[in-house]
Amino acid sequence: MSIQTATLGYPRIGKNREVKKALEAFWSEKLDAESLWETLRQVEETNWQTQREAGIDRIGIGDATLYDSVLDWSIYLGLIPERFRHLSGLEQYFAMARGKEGIPALEMTKWFDTNYHYLVPEISAQLQPTDFNPVLATVKRAQQILGKRATPIILGPMTLLRLSRLDMPISEIIRPLCDRYVNLLQALKPLDIEEVQIHEPALVLGDTAKFKDDYESTYASLVQVGIPLDLVTYFDDLGESYPWVIQLPVASISLDFTRGRNLEQLKRHGFPSDKRLGVGIVDGRNIWQIRPDRLLPILDDIKPITSNLSIQPSASLQFVPYDATRETKLPEPLRNVLSFAEQKLQEVVILAQTLQGEDRRSQLQDIATGQTAFEQFSPPNTQVQQQLQSLNVDAFERSLPYAQRQPLQLQLPPFPTTTIGSFPQTSQVRKLRRQWKRGEITLADYKKAIDAEIAQCIRYQEEAGLDVLVHGEFERTDMVEFFGQQLQGFAFTQHGWVQSYGSRYVRPPIIYGDVVRQAPMTVREFKVAQSLTEKPIKGMLTGPVTMINWSYPRTDISRQEQAFQIALALRQEVADLEAAGATIIQIDEPALREGLPLKSERWQDYLSWAVDAFRLSAGIAKPQTQIHTHMCYSEFGDIIQHIQRLDADVLSIENSRSNNETLFEITNAGYAHQVGNGIYDIHSPVIPTTEHLLEQLRTGVANLPVEQIWVNPDCGLKTRHWDEVIPALKNMVEAAKMLREEIYASGK
Ligand code: GLN
Ligand code: ZN
């Protein structure tokens, strides 16, 4: 029996966010390029040392990046779109990442079902000349520190193509691209590398069978070079493609045993005796300590099938923070059951040693003890559980159908104008929050200052002439964190940063126990705002599905159950907002779409509970209350019936960046409720002109009955400046007024 250990990637932002700090300094010209690279190399080398000291046998290297590792592969492979070709070096790199005067950046999108965003490669027939010197330099550096353990990570050609924007069908470009990969492997060959990891997560997508021939011919060419290849897959199982994928001519295949049904497949179809199986069993996507009582039986199942194994995380550890032991502010029983990257390395080693017959019982016992202590620390909340069990269908249903409740709701002018919720988070607002958190100002002073911001925001909205106002969300740093902090069952880390994209890092909340609302969360700010204006103020909540999708969820109960618990808390909040006089309440679900499972056969199940969770939070609203929801940056075409089933009275969507495609998807499907088809891009500093906005609105009018149309920006305004927001909103209101006149004066 041969048991090894491996890693598939590591957090690359630096334990103290060194890369972000260096990037920002570089962008503001306070740091030179060489120092920026030096920071990255230091972070990378520290990571290597940590993994070596933990005793990992094959350490994945080469994933450290200044911005995005997929962008790095675009550069290494010479996939430079025409518009960047006159640039070079870091200027070119950051232009591709972030754009440059008049040159739009590469498109950015989510990496599979994670919250990491990558830059979409754009591939045209004409590949640019390139060499692989940067890759070779990294490998040589890694070998000095890691020796034979250094295992280069290569983004696989098929995954790259599946995620790219292509000028041609895959079958036409795969040959020339494959040649590039052969060149790369040939360049690596003299370095005497034991093995290369080729990451092909696209193999878990539901439609892989269509590309069987491409995979087979590609891998037949790549293995010719003679470096042993580990074909690495993750995020789900291989599905129906399992039998042929395991026969691809590589030395090793790595599978994810934390998601999907790879274990079933393995038992059914076996595994080739001439290959090593990479057992991705330590969850790289969540932060909970391993449960030996659950994992050892899986390993026991695998052992008789194949005995040449590597124990490893299920995916790159980039999706978890560095070190749970630093979270000294968390209660100890909780901290003890958390596992970030460093703890996961130890878990990999403990599991491998146990499998080899070494006595690691005392470590395993410690884990079990910690688990028991945690269960005592966070017992189930019987009240919430009973409430959930006693829910009947009515709880998910508004008391009247849309057609009947709509006439009872607030009547507004045609093309009502509103915003999505947040207003500029100025440095003053952020400073205020910092001062309060550090105890430099009292809570009373903090609230007074927030109220002053609200008052100013109301004034600006009235001046702009908006119909439905918001309070501005100045008290919220983040739409999930703000609610999580007020709910029992959520915990927040101090250092738990993970990369969202480029220099933007987030600290996802941890859901660790039953969720209970302790007190109203948004009512005070709502009342303050409403006391200042005759116009309706829209109550603003974050929906249950978004709360789950942007957190680390529990693994002891289903995501559905967690979402329903949050929905119950929001339900109380909806009732309290109504009692405080709210006639319009928005429940944001920007993350609904991105939670879709990778395989479409599992969509139905997810959408069924996700939509139910939303309905549970909104179902308590009186028919007179208008429920809004908001989603951004997603396509709806394939899930439109589910969007309809949310039964929101008004749906606001991002639309301006997708060329009205989202709107067309909605209208083609005959969406019958009201729609705010976001008419200007809040990510752009450009102030949209009235003419442009009117143009956008006319597209809406051409596609939807006028009674259904709302007028709003495509997302929250918190990243913009007031001097951009004020004129933009004035123009937006102006455009709505012009349209009202145009349409109602002409008697349409
Ligand atoms: N109400 C939130 C805001 O305006 C919505 C944010 C989002 O859609 N991501 O900031
Ligand atoms: Zn949005």
Side-chain angles (χ1 to χ4, degrees), residues 92-291:
Q92 182 183 58
Y93 185 81
F94 289 123
M96 288 170 77
R98 317 202 307 152
K100 195 179 167 69
E101 306 94 53
I103 313 177
L106 296 182
E107 193 193 326
M108 188 163 71
T109 193
K110 297 232 166 193
W111 175 246
F112 294 85
D113 60 350
T114 73
N115 285 325
Y116 176 70
H117 303 66
Y118 71 96
L119 291 156
V120 179
E122 288 173 29
I123 307 184
S124 59
Q126 204 201 350
L127 304 182
Q128 289 305 101
T130 190
D131 61 52
F132 292 104
N133 289 340
V135 182
L136 302 180
T138 303
V139 173
K140 287 180 197 159
R141 208 156 35 84
Q143 286 179 321
Q144 286 185 353
I145 294 177
L146 301 175
K148 296 272 186 204
R149 295 170 195 244
T151 312
I153 296 174
I154 294 181
L155 176 58
M158 287 301 293
T159 297
L160 183 95
L161 286 176
R162 298 287 320 268
L163 301 181
S164 295
R165 207 190 267 178
L166 300 175
D167 269 3
M168 70 299 278
I170 285 188
S171 56
E172 261 169 48
I173 187 74
I174 184 69
R175 268 288 107 210
L177 189 70
C178 182
D179 290 343
R180 286 263 148 118
Y181 276 85
V182 169
N183 294 344
L184 168 62
L185 291 174
Q186 276 163 345
L188 286 169
K189 186 108 197 266
L191 300 185
D192 202 16
I193 289 167
E194 300 242 305
E195 190 170 271
V196 162
Q197 288 176 11
I198 301 215
H199 288 208
E200 289 280 20
L203 277 167
V204 310
L205 298 175
D207 58 352
T208 289
K210 282 201 300 216
F211 302 96
K212 178 168 181 268
D213 291 347
D214 295 320
Y215 277 102
E216 285 175 345
S217 63
T218 302
Y219 280 85
S221 309
L222 297 184
V223 295
Q224 290 289 311
V225 178
I227 304 183
L229 303 181
D230 178 10
L231 179 64
V232 180
T233 71
Y234 34 77
F235 301 152
D236 208 328
D237 59 42
L238 293 176
E240 56 176 15
S241 295
Y242 180 95
W244 62 262
V245 172
I246 58 164
Q247 297 303 340
L248 289 171
V250 291
S252 164
I253 302 218
S254 290
L255 303 178
D256 187 336
F257 286 91
T258 65
R259 295 175 165 229
R261 306 194 181 104
N262 276 326
L263 185 60
E264 273 168 51
Q265 301 273 23
L266 182 76
K267 288 194 206 162
R268 182 168 336 136
H269 302 286
F271 193 77
S273 57
D274 60 342
K275 288 188 174 60
R276 191 185 61 228
L277 174 65
V279 185
I281 193 159
V282 171
D283 192 348
R285 297 277 301 271
N286 210 336
I287 43 63
W288 300 106
Q289 189 178 51
I290 49 163
R291 299 286 303 265

Side-chain angles (χ1 to χ4, degrees), residues 420 479 588 590 630-633 652-654 682-683 714-716:
I420 304 304
M479 62 188 293
D588 290 324
H630 165 72
M631 293 175 198
C632 37
Y633 312 107
S652 65
I653 50 169
E654 173 274 335
I682 58 94
H683 284 96
D714 66 4
C715 194

